[in-house]
Amino acid sequence: MDSDAGQEDFKAGPHAETSLKFTPQRGGAVLLASRKRTPYSGSKKVNSSFKSPVQVSNAASSGICIEEEIKELQMKLAELDSQIALLENEGIKVEEIDQHIDLLHEYNDIKDIGQTLLGRLAVLRGVTTRDLYSLFDMELDD
């Protein structure tokens, strides 16, 4: 395979005898001479296996046995069921709570969009977002 594959000649001037190699990329060409190589680290484990940053706890090594964890989860389930029963006794239905949660999500999405627009407007005007809040008679905790 040719070592110049994918590269084109770039003449330094209209009558230049030398040419520079560059690799075409989106948005224009980048001269190969301007790129720097990563210095050699000296590490021999370049192709080592991936180690996830997520640590998986082993039930036996952590000292908590599975039976205890199941008991804790069953107690939490019983507590949540009793809270649901109390809410139902007060006349609140689970469907109403789900609808309320959906409306809160929608409100938060709209508020996030408003915050983004205020931020962009502040950048365009060259002021802080705090300045815009006072300009539009808004409280900072709105």
Side-chain angles (χ1 to χ4, degrees):
M1 186 179 215
D2 188 13
S3 65
D4 291 340
Q7 297 180 351
E8 300 177 24
D9 287 341
F10 175 78
K11 302 290 183 187
H15 302 290
E17 295 176 13
T18 62
S19 65
L20 300 172
K21 299 285 185 182
F22 72 92
T23 303
Q25 292 184 347
R26 250 185 237 176
V30 175
L31 292 175
L32 290 179
S34 68
R35 290 188 178 177
K36 303 253 187 218
R37 293 192 74 110
T38 305
Y40 178 66
S41 68
S43 174
K44 296 182 190 231
K45 294 188 85 177
V46 174
N47 294 323
S48 64
S49 61
F50 174 75
K51 294 181 183 174
S52 174
V54 177
Q55 295 185 8
V56 179
S57 64
N58 187 354
S61 67
S62 66
I64 300 175
C65 67
I66 295 176
E67 291 82 16
E68 289 178 22
E69 189 173 348
I70 290 172
K71 284 181 184 179
E72 288 176 14
L73 290 172
Q74 286 174 341
M75 289 185 342
K76 187 172 184 177
L77 178 63
E79 181 183 335
L80 291 173
D81 285 339
S82 67
Q83 289 177 0
I84 290 172
L86 285 173
L87 290 172
E88 287 175 343
N89 288 339
E90 294 176 6
I92 299 173
K93 297 180 182 176
V94 176
E95 294 82 22
E96 290 175 359
I97 295 173
D98 289 338
Q99 182 185 12
H100 187 72
I101 290 171
D102 290 340
L103 290 172
L104 284 172
H105 283 297
E106 185 177 348
Y107 166 79
N108 285 332
D109 290 342
I110 293 169
K111 184 177 178 184
D112 290 344
I113 292 169
Q115 291 290 329
T116 302
L117 290 174
L118 277 174
R120 288 185 181 184
L121 184 61
V123 169
L124 288 174
R125 291 187 177 187
V127 297
T128 64
T129 307
R130 181 179 295 243
D131 294 337
L132 288 181
Y133 270 83
S134 63
L135 179 69
F136 293 119
D137 297 323
M138 296 170 56
E139 297 294 325
L140 284 176
D141 42 329
D142 279 347

